Amino acid sequence: GAKQTTLIVVGGEWYRLFSPMVLHAGLIHYLLNMLALWFIGSAVEQAHGYLSAFIIFFISAVGGNILSAIFLPEYISVGASGGIFGLIGACVADIAINWRLLFSKEVNKNDSGTRLRHFKVLMWLVFDILINCLIGLTPFVDNFTHLGGMVYGFLCGLSAIERLPLDFFGKAHSTCSRIRNYSVRFFGLILSVVLIMISTALLVESDGGSSPCSNCRYVSCVPFPFWAAEDRKWWYCDDCDRVKGDVTKDDGTGYYDVLTLT
């Protein structure tokens, strides 16, 4: 049930776009993902309801798997990370659409420390995103699933997350702001659907074995340190799809005795 592009496109096993979100590569992977899901998922669910949290998680997980299948066809991956990053993206969307309330001097005038606490939460969220993106540049971590899930989560969050009413805090809610709010919600929903359709079409039209952007693999893995010689790097990335091999056959023995990789 893992995400394997060849089996999805050539073998017609399209369920592999959905099944990886409930599979894990071992106990540690499972525990880390469940811990992250418990902290982030429970916060989103308590604030915006079970249905919104489920929609964000599901669409983000599937959307991330589709992008990974397109740009990392040689990778076999499992995990709920796409959906978890989608919930993180939804938290960013929540902050974006309620920015005026979270950091408003008028709303928080009776508690001077509230705006500071909101700012600290925002900084921790940004820090968490940056750290996870850097971890995604190491081998065996699928950054396309992570980042793709976060983008879909942000877009779904614009539609699924409820904006706090300004009227409740005694602030005027103009007609223009209402129109803008509805436009943003529909924009997130429509763009999510369009991106899912386009990426699925690209996956269907692909050969299942090669990426349309070969250098895009550096989004998910970068050999490090950059300045070190090839034989002195801390880790390397999977470049099997870029390697060519030449074999030489010994006419006397009839065996292949030389293999040259370039």
Side-chain angles (χ1 to χ4, degrees):
K3 185 230 79 184
Q4 188 170 355
T5 306
T6 304
L7 294 179
I8 294 172
V9 177
V10 180
E13 299 180 6
W14 294 94
Y15 67 88
R16 291 180 180 270
L17 294 176
F18 304 91
S19 56
M21 73 178 76
V22 295
L23 301 176
H24 292 84
L27 183 60
I28 295 178
H29 186 205
Y30 173 79
L31 291 176
L32 289 176
N33 269 358
M34 291 305 101
L35 186 64
L37 185 60
W38 183 64
F39 277 110
I40 303 171
S42 61
V44 174
E45 182 180 349
Q46 290 174 15
H48 304 287
Y50 168 78
L51 183 60
S52 295
F54 174 77
I55 291 173
I56 293 168
F57 178 86
F58 184 81
I59 293 180
S60 301
V62 175
N65 286 335
I66 294 174
L67 292 178
S68 175
I70 294 173
F71 293 103
L72 296 176
E74 70 278 9
Y75 277 44
I76 299 175
S77 60
V78 293
S81 300
I84 294 172
F85 270 78
L87 294 171
I88 294 176
C91 291
V92 176
D94 191 4
I95 293 174
I97 63 180
N98 292 300
W99 182 273
R100 290 177 59 192
L101 295 178
L102 292 173
F103 299 98
S104 171
K105 291 182 179 180
E106 297 178 22
V107 174
N108 302 298
K109 60 184 178 181
N110 295 327
D111 187 355
S112 59
T114 300
R115 294 173 64 217
L116 179 60
R117 288 196 296 272
H118 290 164
F119 182 76
K120 288 180 179 179
V121 170
L122 177 60
M123 288 299 99
W124 272 112
L125 187 60
V126 172
F127 178 75
D128 180 59
I129 292 172
L130 290 176
I131 291 298
N132 279 283
C133 288
L134 290 175
I135 293 175
L137 298 178
T138 60
F140 310 115
V141 180
D142 189 344
N143 229 10
F144 272 100
T145 298
H146 293 177
L147 298 180
M150 186 163 60
V151 170
Y152 278 112
F154 177 81
L155 294 175
C156 290
L158 294 178
S159 301
I161 287 179
E162 189 68 31
R163 182 185 294 269
L164 295 176
L166 293 174
D167 299 338
F168 179 80
F169 298 95
K171 298 187 66 176
H173 208 351
S174 65
T175 303
C176 291
S177 65
R178 287 193 181 94
I179 294 175
R180 184 174 62 249
N181 294 343
Y182 284 117
S183 299
V184 169
R185 298 195 71 170
F186 280 110
F187 170 78
L189 177 63
I190 293 172
L191 189 56
S192 298
V193 173
V194 170
L195 289 178
I196 287 284
M197 293 174 62
I198 292 175
S199 57
T200 302
L202 289 174
L203 181 59
V204 171
E205 294 297 324
S206 70
D207 58 9
S210 59
S211 171
C213 175
S214 59
N215 289 329
C216 289
R217 71 188 192 281
Y218 292 119
V219 173
S220 187
C221 184
V222 176
F224 188 82
F226 318 106
W227 57 88
E230 282 298 317
D231 58 344
R232 289 188 172 274
K233 294 187 182 298
W234 296 357
W235 66 72
Y236 301 86
C237 301
D238 184 5
D239 291 330
C240 292
D241 60 324
R242 299 170 61 89
V243 175
K244 296 181 179 180
D246 293 321
V247 293
T248 303
K249 185 177 181 180
D250 189 322
D251 295 331
T253 62
Y255 293 104
Y256 294 99
D257 57 357
V258 178
L259 172 63
T260 304
L261 300 177
T262 57

